[in-house]
Amino acid sequence: KNQVEQSPQSLIILEGKNCTLQCNYTVSPFSNLRWYKQDTGRGPVSLTIMTFSENTKSNGRYTATLDADTKQSSLHITASQLSDSASYICVVTRNTGNQFYFGTGTSLTVIP
Amino acid sequence: DAGVIQSPRHEVTEMGQEVTLRCKPISGHDYLFWYRQTMMRGLELLIYFNNNVPIDDSGMPEDRFSAKMPNASFSTLKIQPSEPRDSAVYFCASSLAGVNNEQFFGPGTRLTVL
């Protein structure tokens, strides 16, 4: 069964600290994996898109990694800021029929 | 560019009424996606279009839902008749050629069906 699981479900960290969010998937055949940031009351915003051949991709303080062998991805946030408080959603695209599979997201709260 | 535009931003209606949500994609984008988001089910893809043609509507929950894209700058998602379980935030997104490209989301329409 094609699934995407994210952990933790929620996370609270102090401003300035680093954190890592996890995404494990069973989707096959794999096309790409996306990380989105969604602020409360707004639409998701794309952070990174990685294909099979990409192991890491950065977008400012956000760094995503992908291990296609173990079907795991992580999103690392460096030197967190209050504005990083949001929900982070992992989405995996299946190569056959371009189907999308969504994780339920990790809710991150950064406190001063 | 103003980004993806959706209207209305909020809609409250009574069960049984027809609801029409509207979307204007980013100019030049030839893919358009409709999503639904709820607390229980998270984000779900309902349907997507390429060059105004529906490509995959397997996510449309039932016949009460229909979507059209009469031209490159406008799409609608219609629910008729609406039910309380349709209450959700509906997002429209668009992207350039290739479903693997970055998608840009609109602000969403929060639908409440009483």
Side-chain angles (χ1 to χ4, degrees), chain A residues 12-13 18 26 37 40 45-47 49 53 59 61 63 67-68 71 79 86 105 107:
Chain A
I12 301 174
I13 62 172
N18 303 336
T26 58
K37 178 188 178 191
T40 301
V45 174
S46 179
L47 293 176
I49 304 172
S53 60
N59 179 356
R61 295 180 295 102
T63 300
D67 186 333
K71 298 186 177 181
S107 176

PDB file of all heavy atoms in Angstrom, chain A residues 12-13 18 26 37 40 45-47 49 53 59 61 63 67-68 71 79 86 105 107:
ATOM      1  N   ILE A  12       7.853  21.142  19.672  1.00  0.00           N
ATOM      2  CA  ILE A  12       8.063  22.480  20.227  1.00  0.00           C
ATOM      3  C   ILE A  12       9.549  22.648  20.492  1.00  0.00           C
ATOM      4  O   ILE A  12      10.160  21.809  21.166  1.00  0.00           O
ATOM      5  CB  ILE A  12       7.267  22.688  21.534  1.00  0.00           C
ATOM      6  CG1 ILE A  12       5.774  22.495  21.287  1.00  0.00           C
ATOM      7  CG2 ILE A  12       7.537  24.080  22.111  1.00  0.00           C
ATOM      8  CD1 ILE A  12       4.933  22.530  22.555  1.00  0.00           C
ATOM      9  N   ILE A  13      10.120  23.726  19.957  1.00  0.00           N
ATOM     10  CA  ILE A  13      11.547  23.970  20.163  1.00  0.00           C
ATOM     11  C   ILE A  13      11.779  25.430  20.516  1.00  0.00           C
ATOM     12  O   ILE A  13      10.933  26.298  20.240  1.00  0.00           O
ATOM     13  CB  ILE A  13      12.385  23.614  18.911  1.00  0.00           C
ATOM     14  CG1 ILE A  13      11.986  24.481  17.714  1.00  0.00           C
ATOM     15  CG2 ILE A  13      12.260  22.140  18.587  1.00  0.00           C
ATOM     16  CD1 ILE A  13      12.890  24.312  16.522  1.00  0.00           C
ATOM     17  N   ASN A  18      18.109  23.900  16.445  1.00  0.00           N
ATOM     18  CA  ASN A  18      17.890  23.152  15.208  1.00  0.00           C
ATOM     19  C   ASN A  18      16.866  22.052  15.451  1.00  0.00           C
ATOM     20  O   ASN A  18      16.653  21.630  16.596  1.00  0.00           O
ATOM     21  CB  ASN A  18      19.196  22.499  14.736  1.00  0.00           C
ATOM     22  CG  ASN A  18      20.305  23.491  14.524  1.00  0.00           C
ATOM     23  OD1 ASN A  18      20.064  24.677  14.285  1.00  0.00           O
ATOM     24  ND2 ASN A  18      21.546  23.020  14.618  1.00  0.00           N
ATOM     25  N   THR A  26       6.238   4.527   1.444  1.00  0.00           N
ATOM     26  CA  THR A  26       6.245   3.215   0.792  1.00  0.00           C
ATOM     27  C   THR A  26       5.793   3.335  -0.655  1.00  0.00           C
ATOM     28  O   THR A  26       5.527   2.318  -1.303  1.00  0.00           O
ATOM     29  CB  THR A  26       5.336   2.229   1.536  1.00  0.00           C
ATOM     30  OG1 THR A  26       4.003   2.765   1.575  1.00  0.00           O
ATOM     31  CG2 THR A  26       5.817   1.985   2.955  1.00  0.00           C
ATOM     32  N   LYS A  37       5.790  24.013   3.485  1.00  0.00           N
ATOM     33  CA  LYS A  37       5.535  24.711   4.734  1.00  0.00           C
ATOM     34  C   LYS A  37       4.167  25.366   4.619  1.00  0.00           C
ATOM     35  O   LYS A  37       3.878  26.039   3.616  1.00  0.00           O
ATOM     36  CB  LYS A  37       6.603  25.783   4.974  1.00  0.00           C
ATOM     37  CG  LYS A  37       6.373  26.590   6.234  1.00  0.00           C
ATOM     38  CD  LYS A  37       7.334  27.769   6.323  1.00  0.00           C
ATOM     39  CE  LYS A  37       7.065  28.596   7.571  1.00  0.00           C
ATOM     40  NZ  LYS A  37       7.793  29.873   7.572  1.00  0.00           N
ATOM     41  N   THR A  40      -0.479  28.884   9.376  1.00  0.00           N
ATOM     42  CA  THR A  40      -1.881  28.799   9.766  1.00  0.00           C
ATOM     43  C   THR A  40      -2.724  29.737   8.906  1.00  0.00           C
ATOM     44  O   THR A  40      -2.411  30.915   8.767  1.00  0.00           O
ATOM     45  CB  THR A  40      -2.051  29.154  11.248  1.00  0.00           C
ATOM     46  OG1 THR A  40      -1.262  28.248  12.031  1.00  0.00           O
ATOM     47  CG2 THR A  40      -3.503  29.045  11.666  1.00  0.00           C
ATOM     48  N   VAL A  45       3.410  26.275   0.934  1.00  0.00           N
ATOM     49  CA  VAL A  45       4.466  26.870   0.114  1.00  0.00           C
ATOM     50  C   VAL A  45       5.570  25.839  -0.058  1.00  0.00           C
ATOM     51  O   VAL A  45       6.011  25.228   0.916  1.00  0.00           O
ATOM     52  CB  VAL A  45       5.032  28.142   0.775  1.00  0.00           C
ATOM     53  CG1 VAL A  45       6.226  28.671  -0.012  1.00  0.00           C
ATOM     54  CG2 VAL A  45       3.950  29.212   0.863  1.00  0.00           C
ATOM     55  N   SER A  46       5.994  25.645  -1.289  1.00  0.00           N
ATOM     56  CA  SER A  46       7.008  24.638  -1.577  1.00  0.00           C
ATOM     57  C   SER A  46       8.364  25.032  -0.998  1.00  0.00           C
ATOM     58  O   SER A  46       8.815  26.168  -1.160  1.00  0.00           O
ATOM     59  CB  SER A  46       7.128  24.446  -3.085  1.00  0.00           C
ATOM     60  OG  SER A  46       8.118  23.493  -3.395  1.00  0.00           O
ATOM     61  N   LEU A  47       9.010  24.096  -0.307  1.00  0.00           N
ATOM     62  CA  LEU A  47      10.357  24.313   0.219  1.00  0.00           C
ATOM     63  C   LEU A  47      11.396  23.634  -0.680  1.00  0.00           C
ATOM     64  O   LEU A  47      12.379  24.240  -1.072  1.00  0.00           O
ATOM     65  CB  LEU A  47      10.476  23.768   1.642  1.00  0.00           C
ATOM     66  CG  LEU A  47       9.662  24.465   2.718  1.00  0.00           C
ATOM     67  CD1 LEU A  47       9.811  23.742   4.048  1.00  0.00           C
ATOM     68  CD2 LEU A  47      10.076  25.919   2.866  1.00  0.00           C
ATOM     69  N   ILE A  49      11.931  20.203  -3.740  1.00  0.00           N
ATOM     70  CA  ILE A  49      11.448  19.073  -4.547  1.00  0.00           C
ATOM     71  C   ILE A  49      12.669  18.231  -4.885  1.00  0.00           C
ATOM     72  O   ILE A  49      13.658  18.754  -5.409  1.00  0.00           O
ATOM     73  CB  ILE A  49      10.777  19.531  -5.849  1.00  0.00           C
ATOM     74  CG1 ILE A  49       9.635  20.489  -5.580  1.00  0.00           C
ATOM     75  CG2 ILE A  49      10.272  18.328  -6.636  1.00  0.00           C
ATOM     76  CD1 ILE A  49       9.072  21.120  -6.849  1.00  0.00           C
ATOM     77  N   SER A  53      17.483  10.893  -7.928  1.00  0.00           N
ATOM     78  CA  SER A  53      18.941  10.995  -7.956  1.00  0.00           C
ATOM     79  C   SER A  53      19.500  12.034  -6.992  1.00  0.00           C
ATOM     80  O   SER A  53      20.720  12.172  -6.859  1.00  0.00           O
ATOM     81  CB  SER A  53      19.401  11.329  -9.370  1.00  0.00           C
ATOM     82  OG  SER A  53      18.834  12.553  -9.787  1.00  0.00           O
ATOM     83  N   ASN A  59      17.304  25.090   0.950  1.00  0.00           N
ATOM     84  CA  ASN A  59      16.552  26.301   0.653  1.00  0.00           C
ATOM     85  C   ASN A  59      16.706  27.197   1.886  1.00  0.00           C
ATOM     86  O   ASN A  59      15.928  27.105   2.835  1.00  0.00           O
ATOM     87  CB  ASN A  59      15.090  25.962   0.387  1.00  0.00           C
ATOM     88  CG  ASN A  59      14.249  27.194   0.091  1.00  0.00           C
ATOM     89  OD1 ASN A  59      14.729  28.325   0.159  1.00  0.00           O
ATOM     90  ND2 ASN A  59      12.987  26.979  -0.225  1.00  0.00           N
ATOM     91  N   ARG A  61      17.662  28.188   5.332  1.00  0.00           N
ATOM     92  CA  ARG A  61      17.932  27.411   6.553  1.00  0.00           C
ATOM     93  C   ARG A  61      17.291  26.031   6.524  1.00  0.00           C
ATOM     94  O   ARG A  61      17.402  25.274   7.485  1.00  0.00           O
ATOM     95  CB  ARG A  61      17.430  28.207   7.765  1.00  0.00           C
ATOM     96  CG  ARG A  61      18.173  29.521   7.994  1.00  0.00           C
ATOM     97  CD  ARG A  61      17.632  30.272   9.201  1.00  0.00           C
ATOM     98  NE  ARG A  61      16.247  30.691   8.993  1.00  0.00           N
ATOM     99  CZ  ARG A  61      15.206  30.059   9.522  1.00  0.00           C
ATOM    100  NH1 ARG A  61      15.375  29.001  10.298  1.00  0.00           N
ATOM    101  NH2 ARG A  61      13.997  30.524   9.301  1.00  0.00           N
ATOM    102  N   THR A  63      17.110  22.297   4.927  1.00  0.00           N
ATOM    103  CA  THR A  63      17.846  21.302   4.161  1.00  0.00           C
ATOM    104  C   THR A  63      17.090  19.982   4.182  1.00  0.00           C
ATOM    105  O   THR A  63      16.821  19.449   5.259  1.00  0.00           O
ATOM    106  CB  THR A  63      19.265  21.087   4.712  1.00  0.00           C
ATOM    107  OG1 THR A  63      19.991  22.319   4.649  1.00  0.00           O
ATOM    108  CG2 THR A  63      20.010  20.029   3.883  1.00  0.00           C
ATOM    109  N   ASP A  67      16.888   9.461   1.090  1.00  0.00           N
ATOM    110  CA  ASP A  67      17.509   8.156   0.915  1.00  0.00           C
ATOM    111  C   ASP A  67      16.488   7.287   0.203  1.00  0.00           C
ATOM    112  O   ASP A  67      15.575   6.747   0.836  1.00  0.00           O
ATOM    113  CB  ASP A  67      17.892   7.565   2.275  1.00  0.00           C
ATOM    114  CG  ASP A  67      18.674   6.263   2.128  1.00  0.00           C
ATOM    115  OD1 ASP A  67      18.501   5.557   1.110  1.00  0.00           O
ATOM    116  OD2 ASP A  67      19.454   5.945   3.038  1.00  0.00           O
ATOM    117  N   ALA A  68      16.643   7.170  -1.111  1.00  0.00           N
ATOM    118  CA  ALA A  68      15.665   6.432  -1.905  1.00  0.00           C
ATOM    119  C   ALA A  68      15.720   4.932  -1.637  1.00  0.00           C
ATOM    120  O   ALA A  68      14.751   4.215  -1.900  1.00  0.00           O
ATOM    121  CB  ALA A  68      15.885   6.713  -3.390  1.00  0.00           C
ATOM    122  N   LYS A  71      13.833   4.699   1.592  1.00  0.00           N
ATOM    123  CA  LYS A  71      12.571   5.425   1.442  1.00  0.00           C
ATOM    124  C   LYS A  71      12.314   6.335   2.635  1.00  0.00           C
ATOM    125  O   LYS A  71      11.236   6.291   3.257  1.00  0.00           O
ATOM    126  CB  LYS A  71      11.416   4.466   1.211  1.00  0.00           C
ATOM    127  CG  LYS A  71      11.587   3.657  -0.074  1.00  0.00           C
ATOM    128  CD  LYS A  71      10.377   2.798  -0.393  1.00  0.00           C
ATOM    129  CE  LYS A  71      10.598   2.084  -1.715  1.00  0.00           C
ATOM    130  NZ  LYS A  71       9.453   1.240  -2.099  1.00  0.00           N
ATOM    131  N   ALA A  79      18.960  26.889  13.086  1.00  0.00           N
ATOM    132  CA  ALA A  79      18.790  28.192  13.764  1.00  0.00           C
ATOM    133  C   ALA A  79      17.350  28.677  13.641  1.00  0.00           C
ATOM    134  O   ALA A  79      17.079  29.713  13.035  1.00  0.00           O
ATOM    135  CB  ALA A  79      19.777  29.203  13.200  1.00  0.00           C
ATOM    136  N   ALA A  86       4.865  26.479  11.981  1.00  0.00           N
ATOM    137  CA  ALA A  86       3.993  26.142  10.855  1.00  0.00           C
ATOM    138  C   ALA A  86       3.804  24.634  10.835  1.00  0.00           C
ATOM    139  O   ALA A  86       4.384  23.912  11.651  1.00  0.00           O
ATOM    140  CB  ALA A  86       4.616  26.588   9.531  1.00  0.00           C
ATOM    141  N   GLY A 105       1.532  15.635   8.114  1.00  0.00           N
ATOM    142  CA  GLY A 105       2.206  16.855   8.544  1.00  0.00           C
ATOM    143  C   GLY A 105       2.783  16.794   9.942  1.00  0.00           C
ATOM    144  O   GLY A 105       2.379  15.981  10.776  1.00  0.00           O
ATOM    145  N   SER A 107       3.477  19.529  13.012  1.00  0.00           N
ATOM    146  CA  SER A 107       3.208  20.885  13.488  1.00  0.00           C
ATOM    147  C   SER A 107       4.376  21.349  14.349  1.00  0.00           C
ATOM    148  O   SER A 107       4.661  20.766  15.395  1.00  0.00           O
ATOM    149  CB  SER A 107       1.919  20.906  14.305  1.00  0.00           C
ATOM    150  OG  SER A 107       1.698  22.200  14.837  1.00  0.00           O
TER     151      SER A 107
END
